């Protein structure tokens, strides 16, 4: 999913087992009142990347990373513009969260999250 103008996926996204998804640019997952904006089920991989200062993805709601899944929040060359997460990040065992800047996370990052 690539957003060159703001693309809003109001109900969020749930990936099935062993799925892959890449989100780039001005894409918003979830909206006000959504509990879980992104759910990566068993053995899934999600890459979320900003493209420029103008095109930064955002998450409104929680991120749930299930067992053996990976979620990467990548700010590329613009570390001053982190991807925003207006919610908590919850991890099952053996799941991984990768990011070069988690300062945009307003909620709690679960202690079970394996960070680089």
């Amino acid at each position: 999913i690539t957003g060159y103008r703001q693309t809003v996926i109001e109900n969020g996204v749930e990936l099935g087992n062993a799925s892959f998804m890449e989100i780039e640019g001005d894409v918003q997952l979830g909206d006000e009142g959504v509990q879980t904006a992104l759910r990566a089920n068993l053995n899934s991989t999600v890459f979320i990347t900003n493209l420029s200062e103008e095109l930064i993805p955002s998450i409104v709601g929680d991120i749930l990373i299930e067992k053996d899944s990976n979620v990467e929040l990548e700010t590329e060359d613009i570390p001053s513009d982190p991807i925003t997460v207006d919610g908590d990040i919850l991890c099952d065992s053996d799941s991984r969260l990768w990011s070069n800047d988690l300062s945009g996370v307003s909620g709690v990052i679960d202690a079970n999250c394996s960070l680089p």
Side-chain angles (χ1 to χ4, degrees):
I1 301 169
T2 302
Y4 292 103
R5 296 186 181 166
Q6 189 175 48
T7 303
V8 178
I9 303 172
E10 291 181 356
N11 294 323
V13 173
E14 180 173 351
L15 276 74
N17 294 348
S19 296
F20 174 84
M21 181 174 71
E22 185 169 7
I23 297 169
E24 295 181 328
D26 204 0
V27 177
Q28 176 181 312
L29 294 182
D31 208 349
E32 294 269 336
V34 169
Q35 179 69 34
T36 303
L38 173 62
R39 182 182 184 124
N41 285 316
L42 178 68
N43 202 23
S44 295
T45 301
V46 179
F47 294 111
I48 302 175
T49 308
N50 71 344
L51 296 178
S52 72
E53 291 180 29
E54 312 295 317
L55 301 171
I56 302 169
S58 64
I59 314 265
V60 180
D62 297 341
I63 297 175
L64 176 58
I65 310 170
E66 292 197 348
K67 185 173 178 164
D68 293 325
S69 292
N70 300 290
V71 170
E72 181 173 321
L73 306 175
E74 180 63 53
T75 62
E76 290 212 337
D77 299 328
I78 309 150
S80 63
D81 291 312
I83 295 166
T84 59
V85 180
D86 185 13
D88 298 336
I89 301 177
L90 308 167
C91 299
D92 281 350
S93 62
D94 300 322
S95 60
R96 287 160 296 284
L97 171 66
W98 301 89
S99 181
N100 59 350
D101 185 356
L102 291 170
S103 66
V105 179
S106 65
V108 174
I109 300 173
D110 190 337
N112 288 330
C113 291
S114 175
L115 302 170

